[in-house]
Amino acid sequence: MTQKVEIDNAIQRKDPFGKVSEPAYSGVLSFLRSKYTKDLEGVDIAVTGVPFDTAVTHRPGTRFGPRAIRTASTQIDWDSPYNWDFEVRDHMAIADCGDVLFDHGRLGEVPDIIEMHISAILEKAKTTLTLGGDHFITYPILKAYAAKYGPLCLLQFDAHTDTWNDEGGEDRIDHGTMFYHAVKQGIVAPEHSAQVGIRTKNRDTMGINIIDANEVHREGPEAAAAKIKQIVGDRPVYLTFDIDGLDPAYAPGTGTPVIGGLTPYQAMTVLRQIAGINLVGMDVVEVAPAYDPSGVTALAGATIAYELLSLYAYPHIDHS
Ligand SMILES: [Mn+2]
């Protein structure tokens, strides 16, 4: 016996701080092998899944996204994010509190259930990292955050604006119109919000700043980051990362792929270069494992989620 390997860290670990790793092919799942628990006392970042996918326009399947992202995260738990000068898990108490439960036969109740789920977490933990689920889930999450912080800066990575004009009413459950309603309802401040990686035509931006995919390719991710920092300033930011913001070459496993998107390098560089923003909440959505035979989309989702943890932690850490 030369080595003692811990197993099932998700349920066995005592300390919510620190890097742990175990074989990727075994053990109880949790995001990055964090403690899997409903006890959020003293937790900084609570990871939760929202396996909801019935608001999609075209291909469903993101209800399996949270589990796929947790599985993919077991391949990166051994390493610290390469672009950051600290290990976020040494500085933040992180727990995975599992998925929200809803009745699939009572769709109308789902938005309120998601909002209440996030609100309840925010009474204990400082922030949430939500794993989707289709993009609709961000709307009730935003409502929970707006109740705490007031109107938010929405920082959205996406191929689509999701602000399609929706005369059907605020109660429609649609993953393409929820930010139209979010602006109309005053929970998002459009002039201090930005959408990055857009490559679908929507003339009415609802006043949100657009940094489209062409601009990122042309000007570079550093320029995009500088622009974002100007737009959001020190206001509270909710960051939502639709995995289809990445090009389908890197993220094919999603419901509504559009070619010409961001590379992982571009997205990760933007995230690194906006370090210091006042990030208050975050999610990664639209990972659909059925269209992801190699698992690369889930790996991208897990890695981006890991980056978001570092981005969240950055202003709370002494870098001297
Ligand atoms: Mn999208």
Side-chain angles (χ1 to χ4, degrees):
M1 273 289 275
T2 55
Q3 186 191 8
K4 187 167 178 285
V5 179
E6 296 292 339
I7 195 80
D8 295 329
N9 279 287
I11 53 173
Q12 298 287 8
R13 66 184 295 171
K14 302 279 182 274
D15 191 348
F17 290 94
K19 181 161 74 176
V20 296
S21 180
E22 61 188 82
Y25 44 81
S26 65
V28 175
L29 278 183
S30 66
F31 184 69
L32 281 177
R33 305 297 193 184
S34 57
K35 181 85 174 176
Y36 198 87
T37 178
K38 306 290 180 193
D39 178 9
L40 297 178
E41 213 57 59
V43 166
D44 296 309
I45 303 172
V47 182
T48 187
V50 179
F52 174 77
D53 68 359
T54 37
V56 297
T57 324
H58 298 294
R59 305 191 297 179
T62 61
R63 68 181 61 187
F64 293 100
R67 182 170 292 178
I69 293 171
R70 287 189 180 101
T71 303
S73 78
T74 66
Q75 297 186 61
I76 53 176
D77 60 12
W78 57 276
D79 199 11
S80 301
Y82 187 73
N83 292 338
W84 303 80
D85 62 357
F86 61 93
E87 164 56 66
V88 59
R89 289 174 286 176
D90 290 340
H91 298 272
M92 292 277 145
I94 302 170
D96 186 332
C97 63
D99 296 339
V100 62
L101 180 67
F102 52 84
D103 183 342
H104 67 275
R106 295 187 187 277
L107 283 179
E109 295 178 352
V110 172
D112 284 348
I113 288 172
I114 296 171
E115 183 181 347
M116 287 188 299
H117 176 71
I118 298 298
S119 292
I121 295 174
L122 288 178
E123 283 175 17
K124 295 269 174 63
K126 293 200 179 78
T127 188
T128 55
L129 165 66
T130 304
L131 312 175
D134 71 46
H135 214 160
F136 173 78
I137 69 166
T138 303
Y139 186 32
I141 296 171
L142 278 172
K143 286 181 174 173
Y145 272 88
K148 183 169 177 180
Y149 293 98
L152 296 150
C153 305
L154 179 68
L155 177 52
Q156 175 186 355
F157 291 76
D158 208 322
H160 319 87
T161 61
D162 300 336
T163 53
W164 304 100
N165 189 300
D166 189 351
E167 304 296 349
E170 207 268 327
D171 60 344
R172 283 196 66 250
I173 303 172
D174 185 325
H175 81 149
T177 65
M178 65 284 171
F179 297 140
Y180 167 89
H181 293 299
V183 173
K184 287 265 182 197
Q185 298 288 318
I187 62 177
V188 159
E191 69 277 19
H192 297 301
S193 297
Q195 297 177 322
V196 186
I198 302 299
R199 49 197 188 280
T200 46
K201 280 189 183 169
N202 182 357
R203 281 214 181 81
D204 187 359
T205 66
M206 302 293 293
I208 296 175
N209 300 280
I210 308 288
I211 303 171
D212 72 6
N214 291 342
E215 182 174 339
V216 178
H217 295 314
R218 190 178 62 242
E219 311 288 339
E222 291 85 359
K227 210 165 166 180
I228 291 165
K229 285 174 96 164
Q230 282 231 311
I231 290 166
V232 302
D234 57 6
R235 300 169 191 86
V237 176
Y238 185 89
L239 195 157
T240 181
F241 200 109
D242 183 331
I243 206 67
D244 72 29
L246 298 181
D247 191 84
Y250 309 98
T254 193
T256 323
V258 183
I259 67 164
L262 306 186
T263 68
Y265 166 77
Q266 289 172 326
M268 290 165 77
T269 301
V270 172
L271 294 177
R272 180 64 184 86
Q273 295 295 322
I274 59 174
I277 65 165
N278 181 16
L279 184 62
V280 296
M282 55 220 150
D283 65 52
V284 177
V285 297
E286 296 281 356
V287 171
Y291 322 108
D292 192 31
S294 72
V296 67
T297 313
L299 179 62
T303 308
I304 294 289
Y306 200 178
E307 295 287 305
L308 295 184
L309 297 183
S310 300
L311 178 61
Y312 173 80
Y314 187 88
H316 305 289
I317 289 173
D318 181 6
H319 300 277
S320 59

